[in-house]
Amino acid sequence: LAKTTQPISMDSYEGQEVNITCSHNNIATNDYITWYQQFPSQGPRFIIQGYKTKVTNEVASLFIPADRKSSTLSLPRVSLSDTAVYYCLVGDNNNAGNMLTFGGGTRLMVKP
Amino acid sequence: DSGVTQTPKHLITATGQRVTLRCSPRSGDLSVYWYQQSLDQGLQFLIQYYNGEERAKGNILERFSAQQFPDLHSELNLSSLELGDSALYFCASSVAATRETGEQYFGPGTRLTVT
């Protein structure tokens, strides 16, 4: 079973750029990489999704190298309200039944 | 508000019992996913349905089962409950049939406590 690995926690300050990396060996050829944000006692909320290279939306950017074995979520100019847990989600090609695998989550603390 | 509803919000039951968790997807979404979130296991994918058919299966125990009805709501049945089944259970929905495209919208979750 492929393992999806993220740093457990990160600290940042308001206004800084934050980059969170997820390692995902054995990502399936047709799988996308998706990032979610979760606040306490709430369901995860979609941030961004990509397949390769770079994707940008109004809240974040996602960088995916050519081998797609990792991805980096970039949050520009974070604020206190970005304090949350961030998860990457990818597929697992070791399981023909289309397994979805979440990373363990990165707890981001934004300080004033 | 994601538009996905889950009931009940909280559920407390005893070991050996059976419970049913219910999920109503966003209007127009055909795909429903179930996830389990616990402190030691993190977020675990259980199963996906698309338009009434099972589409993908994850770490779902044999004691657990799910179905999606013609009106697209879904139920997750958990039986012979054990203490380790205590967790937050999330339902998510999406328009797309597969995970490759389209975001998933998560409900608020059902917190299950097995005593």
Side-chain angles (χ1 to χ4, degrees), chain B residues 36-115:
Chain B
Q36 179 193 60
Q37 185 173 37
S38 60
L39 284 175
D40 55 343
Q41 294 290 325
L43 267 165
Q44 300 277 318
F45 166 65
L46 297 179
I47 197 164
Q48 178 200 0
Y49 279 82
Y50 176 76
N51 204 20
E53 301 281 331
E54 183 182 304
R55 182 80 181 193
K57 215 165 187 175
N59 289 326
I60 189 164
L61 300 172
E62 285 191 14
R63 301 183 285 109
F64 296 0
S65 65
Q67 55 183 329
Q68 187 178 27
F69 294 86
D71 67 352
L72 301 178
H73 91 271
S74 177
E75 293 181 356
L76 179 67
N77 300 297
L78 314 176
S79 61
S80 303
L81 285 168
E82 303 174 359
L83 295 177
D85 297 327
S86 295
L88 202 49
Y89 290 85
F90 287 108
C91 164
S93 73
S94 72
V95 174
T98 65
R99 65 192 178 281
E100 287 90 349
T101 58
E103 60 190 270
Q104 295 180 38
Y105 295 86
F106 282 76
T110 293
R111 183 169 296 282
L112 173 67
T113 302
V114 182
T115 61

Side-chain angles (χ1 to χ4, degrees), chain B residues 14-29:
Chain B
T15 54
Q17 295 298 305
R18 173 190 168 96
V19 298
T20 297
L21 312 184
R22 183 187 167 103
C23 167
S24 292
R26 289 189 326 153
S27 177
D29 284 358

Side-chain angles (χ1 to χ4, degrees), chain A residues 3-7 19-25 33-35 62-65 68-73 86-90 101-106:
Chain A
K3 193 168 181 179
T4 308
T5 307
Q6 305 176 228
N19 295 310
I20 306 173
T21 297
C22 178
S23 297
H24 30 77
N25 293 320
I33 299 154
T34 314
W35 283 82
L62 179 58
F63 299 91
I64 305 168
R68 304 201 328 120
K69 292 185 184 299
S70 67
S71 59
T72 298
L73 173 71
Y86 293 81
Y87 293 94
C88 62
L89 172 65
V90 297
T101 305
F102 270 101
T106 299

Side-chain angles (χ1 to χ4, degrees), chain A residues 10-12 18 75 78 82-86 106-110:
Chain A
M10 294 181 71
D11 287 346
S12 182
V18 170
L75 304 172
V78 293
D82 293 318
T83 294
V85 181
Y86 293 81
T106 299
R107 189 171 300 275
L108 173 65
M109 174 68 72
V110 180

